[in-house]
């Protein structure tokens, strides 16, 4: 029983990280049909932004302030990643709308350059980020069941981000414009929405969430130039499984993959577990080829 | 072989073709052994590029999973060579991992013809299965691409994880002879070069035939408007699946030849980064042209060898920049640039009207 509860918690924790990474992807993929392969590198940028913030705190701030650095790093990581994502959209992605496979290749190239850039600036070896003291330790539920604070914090963080996204997309006027562009770009344009500005904005938000994901990943382990590539394929699988267009699909996709991954890995091995998850996803797509939740459309090529 | 090649294209093209082929055949005379073996390696990779172009350029399906098919072929050949090198004893890495007997699926690789057959059939079957389960459900475009990428990820995880069966991260190494000939001797190098060249020409001719046939026409039609093809009574899924399987088989052959040239296969050669580099070969050369794939594979691999030797840090910048440049400025690759230049020259020289676009619109 203890074992099972722990596994469930682990699954939930993995799901939350996957969700955080896939959220940004789902936003850009769903809205603009752009496959952003540089998303992983935006995660990396968020992680390094946290690292730099920590170092600045160590160098310039009083010792007692160190523990709050992580709270400061979150908006910084969001801002830096969002800025770079926005630049990327203006310079490159803007020319690739309607060509999803081309956008995949071009952004992959950008990702490679960003990786090499990080390697040049910060060096190839991984660097460690020490997490603030208030996140060490764990919450004891019962004997033998301890939930680490770090994981709990990440789950809470994801919930907050998700709530903000929900409020933004469904409760604000710019979110409504975003949905309008997503569902029918030309019609939205006809009604006076500046689709260009919406695109740039959306891409920046998606990238910013990647930055937050990077910030969260520093709690889990050391960070390096290829940090993002570990998670990017899994995150894309979440988007494919969840279906494009609705937040609830991404949430279900992340929960499904995270939980099944943990389950399979417990009862088989890590490598076989991955194979099983993949087979399950392909099998699931036989039943629902567009993913769990997809916006209905009658359009045909 | 030559005559079939000469049947296509204009007289001028025929002459150019013949000259290129003769030059390729004479290469061993003027080249050092090292460079020849390098060239043979590039030609082996070009075989894979042709297959990739078949499914991407003509089928409109971007696969990022060709590293897996390449790797399966490579492992099949390496398993045969390893068993030959080990003789009656167990391959060394199995001993280190604590195995006492040969796993059952290694047994067939004792025989060369069976290993050869499996090296082609396994990737073809895997490609067929993936294509069958996705194309039939109209999972297309980006979704399919992501699935192929996941396939690469899990295959690499599996090969690294099952160390006792596959040699883990190190892959399968420690063999240097085939049929008693040392792999790196001068004679073997030249023989392997000619074999690779012959297979490349055969693969090119086969794919040329395929794309010129009815099959290729339907494939192209499905690329440009899948639903219209469906309305005409064809089943695009079947065509795509077959083309994907053929593409996988060619990648397997490329993998086998590659192992013979290089003498090692490891998961890092079939991972996500190599798989996407393969796509760049085709993109740079010019997709949908077949010959562009060959040019792209040879040029980029030669560039990689040169640049990584002189400036190892720079390669990622170069390849990243190439992805962006090719996609933005030369969507039809080097062949497209060449055609464009020829067209411009013609238009300037003659007053005669030259049809502006012979190429079909590319919609992906």
């Amino acid at each position: 029983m203890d074992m099972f509860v722990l596994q469930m918690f682990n699954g939930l924790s993995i799901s939350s990280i996957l969700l955080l990474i896939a959220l940004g992807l789902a936003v850009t993929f769903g809205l603009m049909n752009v496959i952003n392969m540089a998303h992983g590198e935006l995660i990396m940028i968020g992680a390094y932004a946290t690292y730099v913030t920590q170092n600045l705190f160590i160098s310039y701030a009083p010792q007692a302030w160190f523990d709050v650095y992580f709270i400061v790093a979150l908006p910084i990581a969001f801002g830096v990643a969002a800025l770079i994502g926005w630049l990327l959209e203006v310079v490159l992605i803007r020319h690739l709308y309607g060509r999803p496979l081309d956008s995949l290749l071009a952004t992959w190239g950008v990702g490679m350059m960003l990786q090499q850039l990080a390697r040049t600036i910060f060096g190839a070896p991984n660097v460690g980020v020490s997490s603030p003291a208030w996140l060490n330790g764990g919450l004891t539920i019962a004997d033998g069941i301890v939930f680490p604070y770090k994981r709990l914090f990440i789950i809470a963080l994801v919930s907050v981000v998700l709530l903000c996204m929900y409020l933004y997309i469904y409760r604000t006027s710019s979110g409504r414009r975003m949905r309008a562009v997503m569902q029918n770009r030309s019609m939205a344009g006809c009604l006076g929405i500046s689709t260009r500005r919406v695109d740039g904005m959306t891409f920046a938000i998606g990238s910013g969430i990647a930055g937050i994901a990077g910030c969260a990943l520093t709690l889990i382990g050391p960070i390096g130039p290829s940090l993002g590539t570990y998670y990017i394929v899994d995150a894309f699988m979440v988007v494919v499984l969840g279906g494009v267009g609705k937040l609830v699909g991404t949430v279900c996709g992340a929960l499904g993959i995270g939980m099944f991954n943990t389950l399979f890995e417990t009862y088989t091995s890590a490598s076989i577990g991955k194979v099983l998850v993949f087979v399950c996803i392909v099998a699931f797509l036989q039943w629902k080829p567009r993913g769990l939740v997809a916006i209905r459309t009658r359009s045909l090529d | 072989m030559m005559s079939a090649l000469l049947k296509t294209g204009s007289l001028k093209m025929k002459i150019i073709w013949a000259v290129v082929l003769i030059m390729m055949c004479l290469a061993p005379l003027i080249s050092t052994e090292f460079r020849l073996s390098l060239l043979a390696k590039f030609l082996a990779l070009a075989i894979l590029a042709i297959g990739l172009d078949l499914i991407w350029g003509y089928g409109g399906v971007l696969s990022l999973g060709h590293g897996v098919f390449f790797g399966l072929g490579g492992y099949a050949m390496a398993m045969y060579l390893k068993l030959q090198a080990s003789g009656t004893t167990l391959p060394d890495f199995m001993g280190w991992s604590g195995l006492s007997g040969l796993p059952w699926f290694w047994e067939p690789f004792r025989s060369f013809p069976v290993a050869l057959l499996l090296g082609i059939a396994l990737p073809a079957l895997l490609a067929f299965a993936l294509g069958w389960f996705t194309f039939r459900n109209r999972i297309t475009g980006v979704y399919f691409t992501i699935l192929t990428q996941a396939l690469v990820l899990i295959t690499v995880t599996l090969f690294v994880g099952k160390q006792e069966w596959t040699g883990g991260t190190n892959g399968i190494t420690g063999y240097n002879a085939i049929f008693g000939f040392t792999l790196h001797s001068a004679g073997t190098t030249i023989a392997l070069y000619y074999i690779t060249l012959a297979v490349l020409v055969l693969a090119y001719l086969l794919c040329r035939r395929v794309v010129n046939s009815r099959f290729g026409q339907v494939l192209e039609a499905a690329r440009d408007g899948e639903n219209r093809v469906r309305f005409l009574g064809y089943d695009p899924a079947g065509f795509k699946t077959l083309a994907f399987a053929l593409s996988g088989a060619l990648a397997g052959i490329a993998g086998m030849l590659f192992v013979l040239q290089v003498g090692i296969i490891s998961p890092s050669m079939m991972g996500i980064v190599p798989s996407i580099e393969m796509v760049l070969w085709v993109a740079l050369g010019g997709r949908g042209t077949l010959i562009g794939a060959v040019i792209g594979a040879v040029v980029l691999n030669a560039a990689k060898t040169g640049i990584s030797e002189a400036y190892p840090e720079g390669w990622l910048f170069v390849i990243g920049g190439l992805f962006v440049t090719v996609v933005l400025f030369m969507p039809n690759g080097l062949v497209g640039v060449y055609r464009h230049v020829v067209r411009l020259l013609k238009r300037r020289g003659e007053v005669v009207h030259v049809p502006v676009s012979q190429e079909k619109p590319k919609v992906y």
Side-chain angles (χ1 to χ4, degrees):
Chain A
M1 187 59 202
D2 292 2
M3 172 83 173
F4 185 72
V5 173
L6 266 184
Q7 289 307 331
M8 283 292 113
F9 180 74
N10 275 344
L12 193 65
S13 153
I14 292 173
S15 305
S16 64
I17 292 164
L18 274 180
L19 178 59
L20 197 51
I21 294 169
L23 259 185
L25 275 183
V27 171
T28 50
F29 186 28
L31 181 67
M32 303 185 263
N33 208 5
V34 163
I35 300 285
N36 182 16
M37 278 300 188
H39 197 77
E41 276 60 48
L42 291 166
I43 295 170
M44 171 200 79
I45 287 170
Y48 274 115
T50 314
Y51 172 69
V52 170
T53 313
Q54 175 210 243
N55 284 1
L56 287 178
F57 263 77
I58 291 176
S59 311
Y60 298 108
Q63 187 73 41
W65 290 12
F66 179 75
D67 278 352
V68 293
Y69 92 88
F70 197 77
I71 302 296
V72 180
L74 274 171
I76 289 180
F78 180 87
V80 172
L83 185 70
I84 292 179
W86 180 75
L87 274 177
L88 187 63
E89 202 275 342
V90 171
V91 175
L92 180 67
I93 312 276
R94 181 156 290 182
H95 308 287
L96 297 172
Y97 287 130
R99 294 154 65 191
L101 291 181
D102 282 347
S103 71
L104 185 154
L105 293 182
T107 48
W108 177 270
V110 172
M112 277 187 156
M113 290 196 278
L114 286 176
Q115 246 184 57
Q116 188 59 46
L117 199 65
R119 214 164 279 145
T120 318
I121 298 174
F122 296 101
N126 287 351
V127 294
V129 177
S130 42
S131 29
W134 48 275
L135 281 179
N136 292 330
L139 187 67
T140 313
I141 302 290
D143 273 347
I145 306 181
V146 179
F147 293 167
Y149 284 136
K150 286 177 187 172
R151 303 261 172 183
L152 286 172
F153 178 78
I154 291 175
I155 293 174
L157 180 69
V158 177
S159 315
V160 171
V161 172
L162 201 61
L163 186 70
C164 292
M165 281 304 293
Y166 175 81
L167 290 178
Y168 175 72
I169 294 178
Y170 293 98
R171 290 285 182 272
T172 66
S173 56
S174 70
R176 186 170 298 123
R177 281 198 287 275
M178 186 164 139
R179 276 185 297 146
V181 174
M182 186 159 159
Q183 286 174 18
N184 194 333
R185 175 173 294 268
S186 48
M187 185 65 79
C190 288
L191 291 172
I193 295 173
S194 166
T195 52
R196 288 226 147 161
R197 198 182 303 154
V198 171
D199 286 339
M201 183 79 172
T202 313
F203 207 84
I205 291 176
S207 309
I209 296 175
I212 292 187
C215 197
L217 284 179
T218 58
L219 293 177
I220 293 176
I223 57 176
S226 51
L227 173 79
T229 39
Y230 290 124
Y231 297 94
I232 191 77
V233 178
D234 281 340
F236 268 117
M237 295 308 281
V238 168
V239 178
V240 169
L241 182 69
V244 174
K246 294 236 164 136
L247 279 181
V248 62
T250 314
V251 175
C252 294
L255 275 177
I257 290 185
M259 286 295 181
F260 274 103
N261 212 355
T262 319
L263 263 176
F264 286 143
E265 283 186 8
T266 316
Y267 293 108
T268 58
S269 69
S271 48
I272 300 285
K274 267 212 153 33
V275 176
L276 283 176
V277 170
F278 179 73
V279 170
C280 285
I281 290 172
V282 173
F284 181 81
L285 290 177
Q286 303 300 304
W287 175 46
K288 272 189 180 284
R290 306 256 90 200
L292 264 169
V293 183
I295 291 182
R296 282 174 198 281
T297 164
R298 296 176 65 101
S299 68
L300 214 52
D301 63 337
Chain B
M1 197 187 287
M2 289 285 283
S3 64
L5 197 64
L6 291 178
K7 261 183 223 152
T8 55
S10 66
L11 181 70
K12 205 160 77 184
M13 285 314 287
K14 282 179 201 169
I15 295 171
I16 294 175
W17 274 113
V19 170
V20 168
L21 254 187
I22 291 169
M23 271 167 57
M24 296 297 277
C25 289
L26 293 180
L29 295 179
I30 50 167
S31 169
T32 63
E33 204 179 299
F34 172 71
R35 297 224 166 266
L36 191 70
S37 142
L38 217 52
L39 182 61
K41 193 178 105 183
F42 301 160
L43 293 183
L45 297 174
I47 297 171
L48 178 140
I50 289 180
L52 193 57
D53 194 19
L54 183 72
I55 186 69
W56 187 29
Y58 292 89
V61 175
L62 177 58
S63 157
L64 293 182
H66 267 56
V68 169
F69 309 132
F70 176 80
L72 284 179
Y75 269 95
M77 180 57 82
M79 280 156 89
Y80 166 75
L81 293 174
K82 186 74 188 172
L83 284 176
Q84 293 303 305
S86 312
T88 49
T89 58
L90 208 58
D92 45 12
F93 64 83
M94 289 186 183
W96 301 333
S97 310
L99 277 196
S100 51
L102 200 65
W104 58 269
F105 57 85
W106 270 70
E107 287 298 341
F109 291 94
R110 282 197 189 284
S111 131
F112 183 71
V114 176
L116 200 63
L117 187 73
L118 284 175
I120 302 172
L122 285 179
L125 273 177
L126 182 65
F128 186 86
L130 188 65
W132 172 260
F133 283 115
T134 49
F135 296 140
R136 217 167 36 105
N137 278 302
R138 308 185 190 179
I139 298 170
T140 47
V142 174
Y143 284 80
F144 179 79
T145 306
I146 294 169
L147 283 182
T148 54
Q149 197 164 38
L151 179 74
V152 174
L153 191 72
I154 59 162
T155 315
V156 170
T157 317
L158 199 62
F159 272 62
V160 172
K162 290 282 156 202
Q163 189 167 359
E164 66 275 25
W165 292 345
T166 61
T169 341
N170 299 327
I172 303 183
T173 53
Y175 41 83
N176 49 16
I178 182 166
F179 305 138
F181 299 107
T182 315
L183 281 180
H184 295 295
S185 70
T188 323
T189 306
I190 292 176
L192 278 176
Y193 171 78
Y194 278 120
I195 292 173
T196 311
L197 183 63
V199 175
L200 174 65
V201 173
L202 280 176
Y204 177 79
L205 291 177
L206 174 73
C207 288
R208 179 56 63 204
R209 263 197 101 109
V210 166
V211 298
N212 286 338
S213 68
R214 243 183 116 76
F215 179 88
Q217 306 268 308
V218 179
L219 197 64
E220 262 182 278
R223 173 194 72 192
D224 293 339
E226 184 157 349
N227 278 313
R228 295 176 204 183
V229 173
R230 203 170 276 129
F231 296 154
L232 289 172
Y234 289 100
D235 169 28
F239 287 86
K240 282 188 187 176
T241 309
L242 280 182
F244 193 48
L246 176 59
S247 182
L250 285 174
I253 295 173
M256 285 194 280
L257 287 166
F258 183 83
V259 165
L260 288 175
Q261 318 284 357
V262 181
I264 175 179
I265 183 84
S266 75
S268 65
M269 295 172 184
M270 53 198 273
I272 287 182
V273 175
S275 298
I276 199 156
E277 265 183 34
M278 293 166 186
V279 171
L280 186 59
W281 304 340
V282 179
L284 179 77
R287 59 190 169 203
T289 59
L290 290 187
I291 193 65
V294 178
I295 296 171
V298 174
V299 167
L300 263 179
N301 279 297
K304 183 179 186 175
T305 312
I307 296 170
S308 342
E309 269 170 18
Y311 181 47
E313 300 291 299
W315 175 242
L316 276 179
F317 279 125
V318 171
I319 194 174
L322 270 177
F323 267 117
V324 178
T325 318
V326 168
V327 167
L328 278 186
F329 301 113
M330 34 195 279
N332 292 321
L334 290 173
V335 172
V337 171
Y338 167 78
R339 282 186 188 160
H340 189 70
V341 169
V342 168
R343 205 177 297 142
L344 281 183
L345 289 178
K346 263 191 189 162
R347 206 182 289 166
R348 192 171 296 164
E350 302 164 22
V351 195
V352 189
H353 174 70
V354 180
V356 173
S357 178
Q358 295 283 347
E359 290 149 56
K360 286 132 205 139
K362 296 251 155 79
V363 183
Y364 298 103

